[in-house]
Structure formats: structure tokens, C-alpha cells
Amino acid sequence: MIANSQPYMAREDYLEAEKNSLIKHEYIQGEIYAMVGASDAHVTIAGNLFALLRNYLRGKGCRVYMADMKADIEILDIYYYPDVIVTCDPRDREFQYFKRYPKLIVEVIFPETEGFDRGKKFEDYRHLDTLEEYVLIAQDRISVECFRKNSEGLWVLYPYSSGQEIYLESLDFRCSITDIYEEVEFQVTTESDRNWVSL
């Protein structure tokens, strides 16, 4: 994210301005932050998971959105743009530009944003009472980390790596980690050159 130098903006003004903006912005307590562009790997991973979830959830009363749907953390006065968000709550049908009651949120991470996604952003997302799972997918290596809220309200990490099947309990959804990384190319830097590894 890139900070915008303009003064405090009210939530209503932000939502209205965002409808016509050519650049997406996240909103944190009156301040807006421009979103940076995504890499090929980032978009491919998010698209793969979106397609898998869209097919799986068809007819089940849940909706899955990718990249352009905001998550509204109303209690904190924050709007984020998750890479993938799933809501099964009928209350969310009344909101056209954001969702307030998600079950699952997914962020595709890269080194420059990993600390924020793991730390402050996850802390903020945990204020969403309906959120059951928060998933971090690396775009520079095969790694999926699922943080799942248990019956005691504690968040437990379930890591997945190459060759494993991923399970999202909130949706009772399973898939191979290979399906998520289909057609993703990893850039491997050596001392002498750069090579591309494709799945």
C-alpha cells in the first residue's frame, strides 16, 4: 500500500469516491492507501482459488469474490481488499460494494507485504465475528498457511506444502495444493543468472 497525503476522509466519502476511482484504495480510520499492482503469480494464484471455490460453492448459498470486493471491518473503521473473500451470510446481500460477514478471507503474499498480512491485517480481520479461516498463500514458493478459529475462539495454524491436500473447514472444501499453483512460475535467482520454474 502507498499512503495518500490528503487529509481525513469520511467512510461515506471514501465509498463514493472508490466507485469511480481508476486505482483501488484501502481505508484505515480516515486515511486511504493506494493499492500496488499485482504480479502474474499473484493474479494466477488468486484466480485459480477463485475458480475452484466458485465451482464448489455453486448452489450452496455462498458467494466468492476476488480482488475487487472490500471487507468492511466496521468496528475498526477499516476497509481492506482481500484477494479472495467468501461470505455465506444473507445479511451481506444488501451490500453491493463491501461485505461485512465473511467466513473465509485469503491473501496472496509476497515478501514486501508479508509482515503486514501476517501481523496488523490479520489482527484487524480477527474483529470480524463471522470469520472462521484466514489463509495466506505465498507467491514465491509453494506454501499455504491456514489460520482456523477453533471452538474456544483461538486461532490455530494449519500449514500445507508441496504435494499436500488443502482443507478449508469453514467451507468443507478440499483441493490439491498443485491446483492452487497451476501455471504459476517461480523466479529463481542464482549467482550467474535467473531461471524460471513453472508448475
Side-chain angles (χ1 to χ4, degrees), residues 34-113:
M35 303 293 293
V36 298
S39 70
D40 184 288
H42 187 123
V43 174
T44 301
I45 290 166
N48 286 343
L49 183 58
F50 171 83
L52 291 164
L53 290 174
R54 177 69 184 93
N55 288 333
Y56 174 77
L57 293 173
R58 186 172 282 112
K60 296 185 178 181
C62 297
R63 298 290 301 275
V64 57
Y65 302 92
M66 188 179 105
D68 291 328
M69 181 57 69
K70 293 180 284 293
D72 177 14
I73 312 173
E74 187 179 24
I75 193 171
L76 298 180
D77 193 24
I78 290 174
Y79 289 97
Y80 287 133
Y81 279 100
D83 290 309
V84 176
I85 182 171
V86 176
T87 177
C88 302
D89 195 309
R91 291 175 294 178
D92 268 334
R93 294 175 187 167
E94 67 179 281
F95 306 123
Q96 292 299 307
Y97 297 98
F98 58 84
K99 300 303 169 187
R100 200 170 276 168
Y101 307 103
K103 247 184 187 288
L104 169 73
I105 286 178
V106 179
E107 296 286 3
V108 180
I109 60 175
F110 56 101
E112 290 79 5
T113 64

Side-chain angles (χ1 to χ4, degrees), residues 12-187:
E12 297 78 12
D13 295 335
Y14 160 76
L15 289 172
E16 193 59 35
E18 200 69 358
K19 291 178 187 178
N20 301 309
S21 177
L22 298 178
I23 302 171
K24 292 189 302 185
H25 301 83
E26 293 189 320
Y27 176 93
I28 302 176
Q29 298 167 345
E31 296 186 357
I32 63 172
Y33 298 82
M35 303 293 293
V36 298
S39 70
D40 184 288
H42 187 123
V43 174
T44 301
I45 290 166
N48 286 343
L49 183 58
F50 171 83
L52 291 164
L53 290 174
R54 177 69 184 93
N55 288 333
Y56 174 77
L57 293 173
R58 186 172 282 112
K60 296 185 178 181
C62 297
R63 298 290 301 275
V64 57
Y65 302 92
M66 188 179 105
D68 291 328
M69 181 57 69
K70 293 180 284 293
D72 177 14
I73 312 173
E74 187 179 24
I75 193 171
L76 298 180
D77 193 24
I78 290 174
Y79 289 97
Y80 287 133
Y81 279 100
D83 290 309
V84 176
I85 182 171
V86 176
T87 177
C88 302
D89 195 309
R91 291 175 294 178
D92 268 334
R93 294 175 187 167
E94 67 179 281
F95 306 123
Q96 292 299 307
Y97 297 98
F98 58 84
K99 300 303 169 187
R100 200 170 276 168
Y101 307 103
K103 247 184 187 288
L104 169 73
I105 286 178
V106 179
E107 296 286 3
V108 180
I109 60 175
F110 56 101
E112 290 79 5
T113 64
E114 186 170 352
F116 181 65
D117 289 333
R118 289 184 182 282
K120 184 64 168 71
K121 185 175 274 191
F122 185 24
E123 178 185 331
D124 294 340
Y125 280 144
R126 291 199 297 268
H127 285 83
L128 295 166
D129 291 337
T130 58
L131 187 65
E132 297 178 17
E133 285 178 305
Y134 179 57
V135 178
L136 297 176
I137 305 177
Q139 64 172 292
D140 59 347
R141 64 193 183 281
I142 298 177
S143 174
V144 175
E145 294 175 295
C146 176
F147 294 88
R148 186 176 301 151
K149 186 163 64 174
N150 65 18
S151 59
E152 298 174 348
L154 302 175
W155 290 87
V156 181
L157 169 62
Y158 296 83
Y160 300 94
S161 57
S162 183
Q164 292 187 306
E165 179 182 71
I166 293 168
Y167 178 57
L168 301 180
E169 186 179 77
S170 61
L171 305 174
D172 193 25
F173 169 79
R174 300 176 190 273
C175 76
S176 167
I177 199 167
T178 304
D179 293 336
I180 289 178
Y181 284 95
E182 183 179 359
E183 296 186 350
V184 172
E185 295 182 336
F186 298 110
Q187 186 175 12

